[in-house]
Amino acid sequence: MAEAKALFRKEVSNLRDYVVLVIVDAKKYQQTNVELIKFLVKEQKIPGVYVTLNKPYEAILRTFEDNDIDTRLIIFIDAVTSSIGQAKKAKNCLYIGSPEKLSDISVAMDQAVKALPKEKFVFFDSINTLAIFNKPVTVARFVHFLAEKMREWKIKGIIISLEKGINDALMDELTTLADSRIDVGGS
Amino acid sequence: MVSVNTLISITTVVFGLASLLLISKARSRLSRGSIREYVDNFSICLAFILIFSLWQTGRTIFGREISISELAGYPELIFIAFAYTGFILVSYRLFKISKEFGFKEEGRGIERIIKGRKKR
């Protein structure tokens, strides 16, 4: 399953900073994420920020470690694991508590990105979960903010979205905002 | 003729009201979470300071007419005491937020790992 990696490599080979939208089939979702992170951390040796709205940090950590990815180079922002009250930090992960706390996610991302050395990535996983927990207008506004910020930070930005479960208008918006769109395993 | 004292007092109240307005606008833009809670606490402190200033302005304008016997100065002290107590709580919250949202340590750690690899 090197399809995602090959497509990604092809798309970004000539770009230094970018915002790439990866549309992935649900069946290939986990494998695609692993492949892309492997490419960034293992091959390109770039540190970065992984924002998860889908799977808890512990699960992602296990998957990455099983795939021989050096997780010490990644700062995790976990908005899935519910934490009572305020945000909590453990090791290299900040638990936000809920995917609805968009302001906290934004502040955490900004702080994490600015703490990292010059060349870095931000992996946003995924837009679908945002759409489940927030109003369409809020999601659209956040997506705009995210793309704008990724450009301002001059980083390698990857936004993951599942093929299904996101409306056409938002998908078009996302595609317009990104430098490139990669479709893995679907239409 | 308006005295300088009155003018300064009114200006302070206007500034306080403007700050509260700005904060409430900022709050309406934030989704729930740590940052909004911080804004909430800060607004309470600001409200106490504003009440303090309002009381003082009233005293400046009306002399001691609004006083209850000789206790006119006490409410001011209470409001300012509440405000500073609030500021302590807000500062503590900010300290906690910086601990959670600050990634400088993690960033330094990652930089060390990268430098270590390059040396090898």
Side-chain angles (χ1 to χ4, degrees):
Chain A
M1 163 64 207
E3 183 194 358
K5 199 159 96 175
L7 283 168
F8 188 75
R9 195 199 300 269
K10 195 181 146 207
E11 285 294 329
V12 303
S13 58
N14 296 321
L15 303 169
R16 188 178 154 78
D17 312 316
Y18 49 79
V19 179
V20 172
L21 172 67
V22 181
I23 310 293
V24 61
D25 182 63
K27 287 177 205 155
K28 293 182 177 176
Y29 159 76
Q30 174 147 321
Q31 197 58 37
T32 303
N33 284 7
V34 170
E35 285 298 324
L36 296 180
I37 291 293
K38 221 173 183 179
F39 172 73
L40 292 161
V41 178
K42 222 174 159 187
E43 268 186 45
Q44 299 209 311
K45 296 179 173 52
I46 303 169
V49 181
Y50 192 105
V51 186
T52 172
L53 282 81
N54 246 342
K55 283 191 169 182
Y57 162 66
E58 308 287 341
I60 293 174
L61 194 71
R62 234 176 296 132
T63 312
F64 285 178
E65 279 170 358
D66 290 345
N67 282 278
D68 206 20
I69 294 167
D70 189 353
T71 52
R72 294 175 307 160
L73 293 181
I74 308 171
I75 292 175
F76 292 89
I77 296 168
D78 178 345
V80 198
T81 313
S82 57
S83 64
I84 302 152
Q86 272 191 304
K88 281 181 179 63
K89 198 191 253 175
K91 282 188 189 169
N92 54 343
C93 176
L94 174 68
Y95 295 97
I96 297 291
S98 158
E100 289 168 276
K101 295 180 175 176
L102 296 181
S103 307
D104 284 10
I105 295 173
S106 316
V107 173
M109 275 170 67
D110 190 58
Q111 287 296 316
V113 165
K114 283 173 181 165
L116 288 172
K118 217 176 176 189
E119 204 179 8
K120 53 208 154 189
F121 70 85
V122 168
F123 197 96
F124 194 88
D125 171 23
S126 67
I127 292 296
N128 301 72
T129 321
L130 265 192
I132 295 168
F133 287 92
N134 299 281
K135 291 177 198 154
V137 186
T138 314
V139 178
R141 230 185 267 158
F142 185 80
V143 162
H144 255 275
F145 159 84
L146 187 65
E148 256 174 50
K149 276 287 173 188
M150 281 176 166
R151 292 195 197 288
E152 190 191 309
W153 290 328
K154 293 187 171 63
I155 50 140
K156 301 172 195 316
I158 299 107
I159 302 171
I160 298 284
S161 176
L162 291 180
E163 246 181 345
K164 289 166 191 163
I166 204 156
N167 67 48
D168 291 344
L170 186 61
M171 190 61 91
D172 287 346
E173 190 77 28
L174 273 165
T175 310
T176 323
L177 288 168
D179 293 315
S180 166
R181 173 179 158 158
I182 300 170
D183 290 89
V184 183
S187 53
Chain B
M1 183 71 187
V2 183
S3 71
V4 180
N5 231 359
T6 313
L7 211 67
I8 290 172
S9 298
I10 291 169
T11 313
T12 314
V13 171
V14 171
F15 278 13
L17 280 171
S19 310
L20 263 184
L21 268 173
L22 279 175
I23 286 176
S24 79
K25 264 201 138 184
R27 189 191 181 278
S28 69
R29 284 202 192 110
L30 293 168
S31 54
R32 69 182 179 88
S34 303
I35 310 297
R36 200 166 82 175
E37 276 171 33
Y38 170 73
V39 171
D40 286 344
N41 292 359
F42 184 76
S43 322
I44 294 168
C45 296
L46 192 65
F48 276 124
I49 296 267
L50 188 62
I51 298 167
F52 163 78
S53 300
L54 266 170
W55 190 273
Q56 219 176 33
T57 308
R59 283 220 305 153
T60 315
I61 296 171
F62 305 110
R64 283 183 172 242
E65 280 167 41
I66 53 162
S67 72
I68 308 152
S69 67
E70 289 303 310
L71 302 173
Y74 288 105
E76 281 175 10
L77 289 176
I78 291 165
F79 294 134
I80 204 80
F82 275 136
Y84 278 104
T85 312
F87 273 127
I88 289 175
L89 295 173
V90 169
S91 305
Y92 178 70
R93 188 173 284 273
L94 197 57
F95 171 75
K96 292 268 281 181
I97 288 174
S98 75
K99 250 177 124 181
E100 284 143 8
F101 286 80
F103 287 102
K104 263 192 175 174
E105 274 303 308
E106 289 80 357
R108 274 191 214 121
I110 289 172
E111 215 167 344
R112 268 198 298 273
I113 295 168
I114 294 170
K115 274 182 188 163
R117 275 184 184 174
K118 275 181 187 165
K119 272 182 192 170
R120 268 188 263 149

